[in-house]
Structures are given as C-alpha cells and as structure tokens.
Amino acid sequence: EVQLKESGGGSVQPGGSLRLSCTASGFAYVGFDTYAMSWIRQAPGKGVEWVAGIAKGAGGNPAYAGPVKGRFVISRDNAKNALYLQMNNLKPEDSATYYCSTGFTGAGSRGPGTRVTVSS
C-alpha cells in the first residue's frame, strides 16, 4: 500500500512563497514513477479542490487549476520518490490543508496533509 507524507506547510504573508514536499513509500511491485500524482487542498468549511497534476514517468505536461496557474509549479523526483509544489505569490485564498495524492486528479491515496496559512 502506497503511503504518502506531506511537509513544508506553514504561515506566510501574502506575496510570499512556500515549497511543499511529499514523500512516498510502500511500493511493493511497481515504482513511484508509474504513478501520476497530484496536489489537492481543502480550506476550512469548504470542499476539496484539485490544485495540480503531473503525469507518471518524467512528468511532462503538468496541469494546474485556474486560480493557481502561473503561481504554482508541480514537479517530481522519481529517484527520491518525492513530489513537490512550489507556491509563489501566495494569496489569503490559498490558505488550506494541502494533500498529495496518487492519480492525476487527486482521486487516489492521500497523505495526512500539511497546513498552509496566508495572512498579514
């Protein structure tokens, strides 16, 4: 069973940056590189929102939700079984718990999440 663990969340002022990391483990028969991956988020009192997805393998042609396009960058390091989300020019509306997930659309396994708070 794939296990995911997010890190890198915290509090930041508007306009600031954070880099989230997700480490994956528990691969019995296939490797991390065979999974498309994604980031999703959930703000208090709101539903889950897909943020970004990256293809399996080298991860070409990543995709982003409209509100984060141009500010967030998803990437992966298959040698480290790691997924990243570089978040720049953060806005208060980006405040949420962020989860990494298997699958491009965030419908797979998730980690426990990491909290991001953007406020002045």
Side-chain angles (χ1 to χ4, degrees):
E1 180 181 352
V2 175
Q3 297 178 330
L4 304 170
K5 173 67 174 176
E6 304 88 347
S7 62
S11 296
V12 63
Q13 293 185 339
S17 298
L18 284 173
R19 188 192 193 209
L20 305 184
S21 298
C22 169
T23 55
S25 61
F27 302 100
Y29 303 105
V30 295
F32 175 72
D33 61 325
T34 66
Y35 288 85
M37 298 292 296
S38 54
W39 288 95
I40 57 176
R41 67 185 181 185
Q42 186 168 23
K46 296 188 177 182
V48 174
E49 178 185 21
W50 175 82
V51 175
I54 189 166
K56 62 183 179 181
N61 298 318
Y64 301 91
V68 309
K69 191 174 293 185
R71 300 188 296 121
F72 291 11
V73 177
I74 186 172
S75 62
R76 64 190 300 159
D77 185 337
N78 293 329
K80 296 181 179 179
N81 288 355
L83 180 73
Y84 305 103
L85 186 68
Q86 177 66 43
M87 306 188 295
N88 301 319
N89 190 22
L90 282 160
K91 304 176 180 180
E93 52 264 41
D94 294 319
S95 297
T97 298
Y98 284 72
Y99 305 86
C100 64
S101 176
T102 55
F104 198 90
T105 61
S109 302
R110 301 175 186 176
T114 187
R115 184 70 182 268
V116 171
T117 302
V118 185
S119 70
S120 54

